[in-house]
Amino acid sequence: MAEIATIERIGQFVDEKVTLRGWLFNKRSSGKIRFLQIRDGTGSIQAVLVKNEVSPSTFAVADTVTQESSLVVTGVVRADDRAVGGHELQVSDIQVIQVAEDYPITPKEHGPAFLLDHRHLWLRSAKQHAILRIRSHLIQAAREYLHQEGFVLFDAPILTPTACEGTSTLFETDYFYGETAYLSQSGQLYAEAGAMALGKVYTLGPTFRAEKSKTRRHLTEFWMLEPEVAYADLQDILSLAEELVSHLVNSVLTHKSEELRTVGRDLDKLRLVVPPFPRITYDEALDLLRQRGMAMKWGNDFGATEDTVLSEQFDLPVMITHYPVQAKAFYMKSDPDNPNLALCLDMLAPEGYGEIIGGSQREDDYHQLLEKLAAHRLPREPFEWYLDLRRYGTVPHAGFGLGIERTIAWICGIKHLREAIPFPRMLQRIYP
Ligand code: 4AD
Ligand code: MG
């Protein structure tokens, strides 16, 4: 009996007989030899069948199997410098689990709509496979980093009674007894309660925005990582944000360089991502935009176009602070030196990728917070629990949210967020 191996670890089995379980990716033939490109989820390898070294029925299988047929292949591992990954498999036996029907995704070019309709199959292609492995690694690295820094995982609810990031992008659903529930736009308000209980917490989960805009940077369902820290101010979370992001980039570079190459990423650009990141104020960013001929009125938040232009000015992520209060959410604390400005930050990824982080110091004063709720025309009653956090032992605190898909899109160098999540949800797409 041959040992069951994975392609990822095939190097441990040189000159030994192993069994691989996978799918046929591609095949070609040349005279009395058949080459089967097999993938097993961990990698791909070329399996070679030589006519007079296998039984006639085994050799015949090579001619009948179709793309994406499921196979169990047994053979001897040979080291071969010319092969992708440095090894190939000299086949002695093939067991076909299923001969796949005509596979819709062929090596030829397909348009994005077709690929998205077949997302459940598109996931098997080399580039998508690499992106999803990078995603898995990035989330794991973020969790490990925060645990090392003393953060406690604090899961926030998805069904919520209130808005966190403005009422225009809420998904509504009927709750019981005539009540309405909203899908969470952010775990932040709950993370603040967590920080008052546990000191340093983070949430990581799906968040929802009924974005009516069709842009490559917006999903209606996306994942957010949100650290929240008691006894912290804006400066503290600026440091945390740049440490976290540089750690993530470095960790992907160290552990997933093969996948980065598969997606065609320029690794030198990522190697530049080392603290300190440039920090500028909203007013300075406005000046930069004006110098580039983009007239913008003081007081508005930057949109996708402004973010793109700003993020093209830097080789590193840039952190922009002190936006006008009217441009930002109700919970942000005002700058005591200039109450028109919020103690907030946006981090924009370089190379035109735009905003990956939004955060702030929180309004910790009960009366100020009441005023801010009123100024944003938000009802007081559903926020009573949130106001309690200011009634009972309020402290300065701050946090931010890092968009997982935006971060992956930047690190992988892909332009559209739809490839950064297994099943993207967008304005015109909920299938599959
Ligand atoms: O800037 P945002 O809206 O901030 C918040 O939600 C805060 N409550 C977070 C906090 O302080 N704890 O969103 C944070 C990040 C953005 O910078 C972006 O990366 C991502 O979430 N994001 C989206 N990603 C994909 N699709 C969308 N529609 C997104 N909206 C925000
Ligand atoms: Mg934002």
Side-chain angles (χ1 to χ4, degrees), residues 59 133 151 177 207 289 306 341 372 376 400 409:
F59 195 75
R133 284 187 165 257
F151 283 77
Y177 312 114
T207 46
L289 289 170
E306 289 83 18
L341 303 180
K372 285 174 188 286
H376 282 80
F400 60 80

Side-chain angles (χ1 to χ4, degrees), residues 157 159-163 179-182 190 382 385:
L159 291 169
T160 63
T162 51
E179 258 196 277
T180 301
Y182 305 99
Y190 296 95
W385 70 270

